[in-house]
Amino acid sequence: MYNRLARIGSTSVRSPLCSGWAKLRYGNIQNMAEIPSSGITLLYSGLNSTATSGSRYSTKTRTDNVEYNKMLAEYQKRVEQYEPATLDSLEFNSSSADSNLPPIIAIHGLYGSKLNWRGLMRRINKTLDRTIVAVDLRNHGSSQHMGPHNYFAMTKDILHFIEQKKWDKVVLMGHSMGGKVSMITSLLYPELVSSVIVEDMTPSFSELSQDFINYLTGLEEIHNHPERITNLRQADELFHKYEPNDKTVRQFILTNLRLNDEGVLKLRLGSKYIREGMDDVRGWPLPPPTFVPSTPHQQKDPLYETMPEPSKIINSGSIGSNASDNLQSQLIFEYNKPSLLVCGSRSTHINGAGVAKFKKMFVNSSIVELDTGHW
């Protein structure tokens, strides 16, 4: 997904969610006819907000719905109870000292790091002259290792990072686990987020395969190996049994190893905290919950009874009347500023119920598919 977004190709389109003409750089879009209406240009325009006061969307606010405000305050307390972790970051600054465009914060997924974003960051910075910063989430990369590893704690980390930077507003761009952090931050603190881009993740339960646990076990084996593992060739040989089929995935996971002062590869993940928080990483902590019906320890979600496939929702722009009625009957958080969901057409992390929830919660949103998988 990171590489696909950074690949070169260009055209000019006019998007209703962007002011004027925007330069679009894209990968292999599955349906080229969808480009003008999809809002993919938002990815490279920094999602300049076009939402105005008196929005046509019936979004609940802190002042017009007592029940909604009470729910919002309750969930903000859940975020603010946590001690923030110190986050390391990589930054490309705008050359315009007087630029009033909000900076973009890029947030990686599970087992990722700020370095995943380098190619895309350079392109956005060069093309748009925008400040863009990628962070290492807690227990990843060079950031602080501490528990717990859950979405409320990670949201608190992002809020603390924004506060340290003294930024009034930001654009959030998150992949996978980082996409959930971006969505939660946007929904609970909309005054801080001018727009949001979510890559291959929806506000729903995520079915993580046993592979994700195996990857952590493999990295820990290398970290604790009695022999000195001093290069990635040795590490790849040891890790091969945990991912025998996909060399690209192995290379990605092994980026979590770094040479220490003695020249030995050691793990940069807070593996203890990640392992303890894996159920939280799978989940979605805001109402209403969406569960995968094949998961035995979770209740089957009625949305799945009538939900179209994600591609049908994306192409038609509709989630169907039954699903809409189901969601309409529940009090949910909403975000009414420009939002973009980028789905991988070959990804297993996106399902119809999740896309439906995204459209319902992010009411001023566009959705686009790229011909790629989750990574």
Side-chain angles (χ1 to χ4, degrees):
M1 177 68 75
Y2 298 105
N3 291 335
R4 178 67 69 187
L5 289 170
R7 284 181 186 172
I8 296 176
S10 66
T11 187
S12 293
V13 300
R14 184 178 292 275
S15 167
L17 297 179
C18 300
S19 56
W21 291 94
K23 191 74 170 179
L24 168 65
R25 296 185 181 275
Y26 55 90
N28 182 16
I29 308 299
Q30 187 177 37
N31 186 350
M32 295 300 291
E34 289 294 310
I35 289 177
S37 61
S38 71
I40 187 65
T41 51
L42 299 181
L43 184 61
Y44 288 96
S45 69
L47 283 167
N48 295 331
S49 177
T50 58
T52 60
S53 58
S55 170
R56 61 191 175 92
Y57 300 101
S58 58
T59 303
K60 307 172 185 68
T61 68
R62 298 183 183 188
T63 59
D64 65 8
N65 188 306
V66 173
E67 187 179 359
Y68 185 89
N69 295 336
K70 182 179 179 181
M71 181 175 71
L72 180 64
E74 174 190 341
Y75 279 89
Q76 287 177 337
K77 286 181 180 178
R78 298 186 188 188
V79 170
E80 290 157 11
Q81 67 178 307
Y82 291 106
E83 185 72 22
T86 301
L87 304 185
D88 194 44
S89 62
L90 174 67
E91 188 164 340
F92 288 75
N93 290 305
S94 168
S95 62
S96 303
D98 60 346
S99 174
N100 60 358
L101 294 175
I104 303 168
I105 300 179
I107 310 174
H108 63 80
L110 184 63
Y111 304 148
S113 78
K114 61 182 180 293
L115 300 180
N116 300 144
W117 296 99
R118 282 178 298 182
L120 187 58
M121 289 175 70
R122 289 192 185 99
R123 194 169 303 284
I124 290 175
N125 178 256
K126 180 179 179 180
T127 304
L128 301 174
D129 194 21
R130 292 288 295 269
T131 293
I132 178 167
V133 179
V135 297
D136 283 335
L137 288 172
R138 63 170 56 200
N139 300 312
H140 288 75
S142 301
S143 288
Q144 187 175 0
H145 294 179
M146 62 184 293
H149 194 83
N150 65 43
Y151 287 113
F152 290 142
M154 286 185 275
T155 296
K156 179 61 178 287
D157 297 342
I158 295 299
L159 295 175
H160 182 64
F161 183 83
I162 294 171
E163 182 181 12
Q164 286 183 313
K165 290 287 189 179
K166 296 181 170 58
W167 289 333
D168 295 326
K169 289 184 182 296
V170 297
V171 173
L172 294 182
M173 178 169 64
H175 172 252
S176 195
M177 180 178 73
K180 286 187 177 180
V181 175
S182 299
M183 287 185 280
I184 292 166
T185 305
S186 303
L187 291 165
L188 296 185
Y189 300 91
E191 70 280 2
L192 290 177
V193 184
S194 64
S195 44
V196 61
I197 303 165
V198 179
E199 297 176 12
D200 213 51
M201 187 51 61
T202 57
S204 56
F205 181 90
S206 305
E207 184 67 84
L208 296 182
S209 69
Q210 182 61 34
D211 289 342
F212 283 86
I213 303 296
N214 294 342
Y215 296 157
L216 198 56
T217 301
L219 289 170
E220 290 171 336
E221 179 182 329
I222 295 169
H223 178 83
N224 297 315
H225 202 276
E227 298 180 9
R228 293 169 60 90
I229 308 303
T230 59
N231 59 68
L232 288 176
R233 181 186 58 78
Q234 292 174 302
D236 186 70
E237 290 175 357
L238 287 171
F239 195 76
H240 187 273
K241 63 185 176 183
Y242 296 99
E243 177 49 72
N245 300 316
D246 196 327
K247 183 178 180 180
T248 301
V249 171
R250 287 203 307 274
Q251 291 174 335
F252 173 76
I253 298 298
L254 292 176
T255 60
N256 288 288
L257 298 170
R258 281 292 183 272
L259 291 172
N260 66 8
D261 292 340
E262 298 176 353
V264 179
L265 285 173
K266 291 296 181 181
L267 185 57
R268 296 196 303 161
L269 293 173
S271 58
K272 172 181 180 292
Y273 302 116
I274 292 175
R275 191 180 291 276
E276 291 172 351
M278 195 63 77
D279 283 342
D280 290 303
V281 172
R282 290 187 178 98
W284 172 254
L286 301 183
T290 300
F291 299 132
V292 176
S294 61
T295 307
H297 64 280
Q298 299 285 11
Q299 181 181 357
K300 187 172 183 178
D301 191 320
L303 279 175
Y304 279 86
E305 299 293 340
T306 56
M307 188 57 56
E309 290 297 313
S311 59
K312 293 181 180 179
I313 297 174
I314 293 168
N315 292 332
S316 69
S318 172
I319 63 176
S321 58
N322 291 335
S324 180
D325 291 344
N326 186 303
L327 284 171
Q328 189 65 43
S329 65
Q330 305 180 62
L331 183 62
I332 62 175
F333 289 109
E334 292 181 356
Y335 178 81
N336 74 336
K337 300 175 187 177
S339 311
L340 174 66
L341 174 61
V342 183
C343 303
S345 62
R346 291 181 273 114
S347 171
T348 60
H349 288 69
I350 297 290
N351 57 63
V355 173
K357 281 186 65 179
F358 183 88
K359 289 178 69 69
K360 198 67 179 179
M361 300 177 85
F362 293 84
V363 295
N364 188 1
S365 62
S366 297
I367 305 177
V368 66
E369 272 189 318
L370 301 183
D371 182 21
T372 185
H374 182 68
W375 300 105

